[in-house]
Amino acid sequence: MSELKNRIDFVYIFDVQDGNPNGDPDAGNLPRVDAETGMGLVTDVCLKRKVRNYVQVAKELADGYDIFIKEKAVLNTLIDAAHEEDEVKTAKEKEKTSAARDVMCRKYFDIRSFGAVMSTGKNAGQVRGPVQLTFARSVDPIAAAEHSITRMAVATEKESEKQSGDNRTMGRKATVPYGLYVCHGFISANLANQTGFSTEDLELFFEALKNMFDIDRSAARGLMSAQKLIVFRHDSILGNAPANKLFDLVSIKKNTTEAPRSFKDYTVSVDEEGLPQGVAIEYLI
């Protein structure tokens, strides 16, 4: 595994067509929205979930690529298991937490990437992840819509009798006709070296961002697609420019006077002449 030696900032642009990219359970699962501006939102937790799912499928939980936060996991059981490793058992009492933390980082991709709090069972400490994401925010206000849907079946005999055998069930489905979302990300080489997040892990993470929507299809999410992944790579561990100044170099403009309905209705450009010294740009999508 190769150590990460460069700070990295990136802009991730994806879109949704006729789907719900991230429903809010406190609002009837409607698409998340900024109440003041009408801009659509997708949480960082939602995006991390998709990265975890991709890695789980791509690596099949191979050694070093298990997933800590996965469906039906009992977290304390996994933390306790780390304390059964020989290197933890043989460690001095005051060093057991640190040793267990190292085991967890080595075993679980999402811990060494995103971090974790592991003090709920046998203490494995806390890990501050080198990979951090912002909420994704839509470029323009979204027009969330609710649709009535019908199922030609019922769940129980009692429902069937009530409808005299008509057997129809009404439901609701929420969608966004179209939304282009922008997420900003940060990767700390300093923290990566503390958790063991390697250049190989970085490649897998970017691979997940490019392909994760294609293994996560559902009727509820409609057509979600990764459109752009713009990476700013610094030539030092601490970086050569503020992230916000780099993000300002990326411009997204709507090129239609009508309501946008596809990525072709936008133009994404980057002011490469404004790149600070010591920062290189890569277009991974």
Side-chain angles (χ1 to χ4, degrees), residues 161-219:
E161 292 171 4
K162 188 176 181 179
Q163 296 188 31
S164 301
D166 194 34
N167 291 14
R168 294 174 184 267
T169 303
M170 299 297 294
R172 306 287 288 175
K173 183 175 183 178
T175 66
V176 174
Y178 184 79
L180 184 66
Y181 290 78
V182 180
C183 170
H184 297 104
F186 317 89
I187 302 176
S188 166
N190 181 48
L191 291 176
N193 293 334
Q194 293 178 31
T195 69
F197 183 83
S198 65
T199 56
E200 291 82 1
D201 289 332
L202 177 65
E203 291 175 4
L204 179 58
F205 172 69
F206 284 149
E207 179 185 318
L209 291 183
K210 289 189 283 185
N211 301 314
M212 64 189 187
F213 295 126
D214 288 317
I215 66 160
D216 190 48
R217 298 297 183 192
S218 76

Side-chain angles (χ1 to χ4, degrees), residues 1-21:
M1 294 292 186
S2 304
E3 283 190 358
L4 200 62
K5 297 181 180 179
N6 311 85
R7 195 188 98 195
I8 293 172
D9 303 303
F10 62 89
V11 179
Y12 181 53
I13 303 172
F14 62 93
D15 62 0
V16 59
Q17 181 178 346
D18 297 326
N20 186 352

Side-chain angles (χ1 to χ4, degrees), residues 2-285:
S2 304
E3 283 190 358
L4 200 62
K5 297 181 180 179
N6 311 85
R7 195 188 98 195
I8 293 172
D9 303 303
F10 62 89
V11 179
Y12 181 53
I13 303 172
F14 62 93
D15 62 0
V16 59
Q17 181 178 346
D18 297 326
N20 186 352
N22 185 203
D24 185 347
D26 289 331
N29 208 44
L30 288 170
R32 296 178 189 269
V33 66
D34 181 331
E36 291 185 326
T37 65
M39 302 298 186
L41 299 173
V42 173
T43 67
D44 60 319
V45 174
C46 173
L47 296 173
K48 289 176 182 177
R49 174 75 271 148
K50 296 181 191 304
V51 171
R52 287 183 171 100
N53 290 347
Y54 180 86
V55 173
Q56 184 171 340
V57 171
K59 291 296 186 178
E60 299 181 329
L61 304 180
D63 186 36
Y65 293 95
D66 203 344
I67 298 297
F68 183 57
I69 307 293
K70 60 178 179 283
E71 187 176 1
K72 298 181 180 179
V74 181
L75 302 184
N76 281 1
T77 300
L78 303 179
I79 296 170
D80 293 350
H83 281 265
E84 298 303 314
E85 297 282 341
D86 289 340
E87 66 190 83
V88 182
K89 283 184 174 181
T90 58
K92 296 178 181 179
E93 192 62 34
K94 64 180 181 179
E95 297 174 353
K96 287 186 179 296
T97 296
S98 178
R101 175 186 179 277
D102 292 342
V103 169
M104 297 296 283
C105 284
R106 188 171 65 247
K107 289 180 65 175
Y108 297 102
F109 174 85
D110 55 336
I111 290 179
R112 64 177 180 269
S113 301
F114 305 131
V117 176
M118 302 176 290
S119 54
T120 54
K122 290 183 179 179
N123 195 357
Q126 298 183 22
V127 176
R128 186 179 173 194
V131 180
Q132 299 299 329
L133 303 173
T134 66
F135 275 32
R137 178 178 290 269
S138 66
V139 176
D140 290 302
I142 60 170
E146 276 195 285
H147 313 276
S148 295
I149 55 177
T150 306
R151 183 178 68 182
M152 304 303 293
V154 292
T156 66
E157 289 288 346
K158 186 175 180 179
E159 287 180 284
S160 179
E161 292 171 4
K162 188 176 181 179
Q163 296 188 31
S164 301
D166 194 34
N167 291 14
R168 294 174 184 267
T169 303
M170 299 297 294
R172 306 287 288 175
K173 183 175 183 178
T175 66
V176 174
Y178 184 79
L180 184 66
Y181 290 78
V182 180
C183 170
H184 297 104
F186 317 89
I187 302 176
S188 166
N190 181 48
L191 291 176
N193 293 334
Q194 293 178 31
T195 69
F197 183 83
S198 65
T199 56
E200 291 82 1
D201 289 332
L202 177 65
E203 291 175 4
L204 179 58
F205 172 69
F206 284 149
E207 179 185 318
L209 291 183
K210 289 189 283 185
N211 301 314
M212 64 189 187
F213 295 126
D214 288 317
I215 66 160
D216 190 48
R217 298 297 183 192
S218 76
R221 280 186 279 278
L223 178 59
M224 294 188 69
S225 307
Q227 296 291 359
K228 292 288 182 181
L229 179 54
I230 303 167
V231 176
F232 297 97
R233 190 182 297 268
H234 303 251
D235 67 7
S236 66
I237 287 180
L238 297 180
N240 302 79
N244 64 299
K245 298 298 183 183
L246 299 177
F247 297 152
D248 286 344
L249 299 177
V250 180
S251 174
I252 304 175
K253 294 183 178 180
K254 187 167 64 174
N255 52 31
T256 178
T257 57
E258 300 178 354
R261 287 295 181 267
S262 77
F263 184 62
K264 294 179 180 178
D265 291 331
Y266 290 92
T267 299
V268 179
S269 60
V270 182
D271 178 15
E272 294 193 27
E273 293 184 358
L275 272 178
Q277 186 175 2
V279 180
I281 190 169
E282 303 172 32
Y283 300 95
L284 299 188
I285 299 179

